[in-house]
Amino acid sequence: MKAFRFRLESLLHLRNLTRERCLKEYASAINQRRTEEVRCEELADRLTEIHASVAARREEGISGHVQDTFLASIEHTKEALGKQRELTRQALAEEEIKRASYLKSDMDEKTLLRLKERRKEEHQRDQEAKEEHALEDMIGARHSVILPTEISHETA
């Protein structure tokens, strides 16, 4: 039996490399988004702490200068939180782009793998048919008998 050779093997290898690269980029994007979300949560927690501290100080009585410091701190934290939320949204959008890229490259590779399997099965069927025909020819030559498969070929 002749060995199977897939002529698009190098393309399949390149698609595999592309899929792996896209997977790494997607994982990196997920990691980046999670990092941005953690930073966002930290800033939200910090803002909650500042609000709690201001509330506690107000109960004790707070001077105008100290209150201005707290209000500036609250304002600064709110701005940082807004910027961080925007960074988180951007990271999420980037993650979706990387996800789509990975899914496309994965689908491309799987399509080529299915083609390879179909071609391999076709090759095996063709080789088996050739071997069977060769065996029938050898048997017919030894016994000088016309086999039913040869009759159908001769009449066609």
Side-chain angles (χ1 to χ4, degrees):
M1 180 182 276
K2 201 163 115 181
F4 173 72
R5 183 172 174 265
F6 188 56
R7 295 175 191 224
L8 299 174
E9 194 67 45
S10 59
L11 180 61
L12 180 61
H13 180 68
L14 288 174
R15 292 228 174 132
N16 185 353
L17 293 176
T18 302
R19 183 189 62 80
E20 288 177 7
R21 180 183 47 82
C22 288
L23 180 60
K24 288 177 184 176
E25 290 174 357
Y26 179 41
S28 176
I30 290 172
N31 190 32
Q32 181 65 30
R33 179 198 37 93
R34 287 181 180 168
T35 301
E36 298 296 342
E37 286 176 345
V38 166
R39 178 75 178 126
C40 198
E41 289 172 6
E42 289 171 353
L43 287 171
D45 291 345
R46 176 72 179 131
L47 186 61
T48 303
E49 289 172 9
I50 294 171
H51 279 294
S53 180
V54 169
R57 289 283 183 110
R58 282 187 180 154
E59 288 179 4
E60 297 171 5
I62 191 170
S63 68
H65 174 66
V66 174
Q67 185 171 348
D68 286 343
T69 305
F70 276 117
L71 291 177
S73 180
I74 288 172
E75 193 62 34
H76 174 72
T77 305
K78 282 183 178 180
E79 287 175 16
L81 184 58
K83 289 177 184 177
Q84 190 60 41
R85 285 182 178 153
E86 180 59 31
L87 288 174
T88 303
R89 277 192 291 276
Q90 290 174 358
L92 183 60
E94 185 68 22
E95 178 185 342
E96 286 302 315
I97 290 169
K98 299 294 183 183
R99 179 179 178 271
S101 175
Y102 166 70
L103 291 175
K104 182 186 179 319
S105 65
D106 186 53
M107 183 180 66
D108 290 345
E109 182 189 21
K110 286 180 181 176
T111 300
L112 204 53
L113 280 170
R114 284 192 301 271
L115 175 64
K116 180 180 179 179
E117 286 302 314
R118 276 197 318 268
R119 295 271 171 90
K120 188 174 185 177
E121 289 170 4
E122 289 173 7
H123 173 78
Q124 287 176 343
R125 279 194 304 270
D126 290 345
Q127 291 300 311
E128 287 172 1
K130 285 179 183 178
E131 286 178 2
E132 186 176 314
H133 188 68
L135 284 174
E136 288 175 358
D137 287 347
M138 286 175 44
I139 293 170
R142 272 193 182 171
H143 301 292
S144 299
V145 175
I146 297 177
L147 298 172
T149 56
E150 292 174 346
I151 292 173
S152 62
H153 292 293
E154 290 173 0
T155 59

